Amino acid sequence: MTNSNYKLTKKDFNQINRRSLFLFQLGWNYERMQNTSYLYLILPQLQKIYGDDKEGLKKSMKTETQFFNTSNFFNTIITGTDLAIQEKEGAKGLETVAGLKVGLMGSFAAIGDSIFAALLPAIFGAIAANMATVGNPTGVLLWVAVNIGVMYFRWSQLGFAYKEGANLVTRMQSKLSALTDAATLLGVFMVGALVATMINIKIGTVFHLGDLSVVLQDKLDMILPKLVPACIVGLIYWMLGKKNMTATRAIFIVLFVSIALSAVGFIVKG
């Protein structure tokens, strides 16, 4: 018989959050990715919810170990909603849980990784690094503060999702879409700004026409300032789009080509 009277407590949420923050990826595998990690997060709570209903617990565990892969920064929103459904409906709600996980994991993967794994590190990491290059220790404090804020967000979302239950999906759909659009626009803007400020390369070639010297970089700046950094970034993106190209290979190619071009004086530090 399902122990339907059990209600999750703050202690349960803390246990899930600790496992999510520090242990979530330990069970990652190539076949079903985060499935065993997901079950590990909530197994103690499932045992409390189902109580003596061993068959119901087995069905739940089987459902929770299906293929699952989403952003580490949004996974507990799915977890909280999942637990709210099972706490209320038991094994009868497993079909809803399975559909919920399949429907949300892709969307949250795109949103979470874009914002928290790409956008925030690119923006605040670059700002912190730029401060560090001029000896300003505030950059370290900024980077630490951002990461503490991200961890707080990950910690607080579980209880919110649990309280909202299945209604969370429909209520947040328009907000999530707007947030994604805003983050994408901000990301494009910041990447362009970072390219101009962080890639300091200039063309060192100077043409001599009699007594006249023509600096190639000055002519390029008349066309478009920071054109060379923009072209370099575009070239690297093109390289990474190739089938057999990896980030490591691209790094070494850029390193060796930069050394060679710098040795012959074609490029210089800006």
Side-chain angles (χ1 to χ4, degrees):
M1 180 177 179
T2 303
N3 183 12
S4 57
N5 293 325
Y6 183 79
K7 301 295 181 183
L8 299 184
T9 65
K10 186 176 181 180
K11 184 178 180 180
D12 291 313
F13 296 150
N14 290 341
Q15 183 183 42
I16 294 171
N17 277 322
R18 285 194 299 269
R19 293 186 174 195
S20 176
L21 284 174
F22 303 111
L23 303 171
F24 185 56
Q25 291 285 28
L26 290 183
W28 197 94
N29 60 88
Y30 281 102
E31 182 180 358
R32 298 187 181 183
M33 298 194 173
Q34 297 171 341
N35 68 323
T36 55
S37 298
Y38 186 92
L39 176 62
Y40 173 73
L41 291 187
I42 60 174
L43 184 56
Q45 287 66 43
L46 292 178
Q47 291 171 332
K48 294 175 183 179
I49 289 173
Y50 284 93
D52 297 330
D53 184 6
K54 302 301 182 183
E55 288 301 318
L57 179 60
K58 288 180 181 179
K59 292 179 181 178
S60 176
M61 293 174 65
K62 186 176 181 180
T63 299
E64 303 294 15
T65 51
Q66 297 302 310
F67 177 89
F68 185 79
N69 191 48
T70 194
S71 170
N72 293 343
F73 303 95
F74 273 136
N75 66 294
T76 50
I77 291 183
I78 299 175
T79 302
T81 309
D82 178 350
L83 290 173
I85 294 172
Q86 293 196 65
E87 183 185 85
K88 182 178 180 180
E89 301 183 11
K92 295 180 180 178
L94 290 176
E95 185 175 349
T96 302
V97 167
L100 179 83
K101 291 173 67 177
V102 171
L104 288 183
M105 65 180 181
S107 300
F108 281 152
I111 297 170
D113 289 347
S114 297
I115 296 175
F116 295 101
L119 182 64
L120 291 184
I123 295 174
F124 292 100
I127 294 174
N130 196 37
M131 289 180 174
T133 59
V134 296
N136 188 344
T138 307
V140 177
L141 300 178
L142 174 65
W143 184 244
V144 171
V146 169
N147 281 277
I148 291 175
V150 171
M151 292 182 69
Y152 176 78
F153 170 78
R154 293 180 63 183
W155 189 277
S156 61
Q157 65 184 249
L158 175 63
F160 170 73
Y162 169 78
K163 292 177 182 178
E164 292 293 321
N167 293 330
L168 179 70
V169 181
T170 54
R171 291 182 183 181
M172 289 188 64
Q173 188 61 47
S174 61
K175 295 181 180 179
L176 288 175
S177 299
L179 182 61
T180 303
D181 293 340
T184 301
L185 181 61
L186 179 61
V188 171
F189 174 81
M190 288 304 301
V191 167
L194 292 174
V195 167
T197 56
M198 300 301 294
I199 302 180
N200 296 317
I201 294 178
K202 292 184 178 181
I203 302 297
T205 302
V206 179
F207 296 103
H208 298 282
L209 304 175
D211 295 333
L212 179 64
S213 297
V214 178
V215 180
L216 181 57
Q217 182 63 54
D218 291 342
K219 303 305 178 182
L220 293 176
D221 288 340
M222 293 175 63
I223 299 172
L224 181 66
K226 299 295 183 179
L227 177 61
V228 174
C231 290
I232 292 173
V233 172
L235 178 62
I236 294 173
Y237 269 105
W238 175 79
M239 290 168 54
L240 292 174
K242 295 298 181 179
K243 183 177 181 180
N244 295 323
M245 181 59 63
T246 64
T248 303
R249 290 179 181 177
I251 290 172
F252 279 108
I253 290 174
V254 171
L255 179 63
F256 291 137
V257 171
S258 298
I259 293 174
L261 293 179
S262 178
V264 299
F266 183 75
I267 59 174
V268 295
K269 183 178 178 181

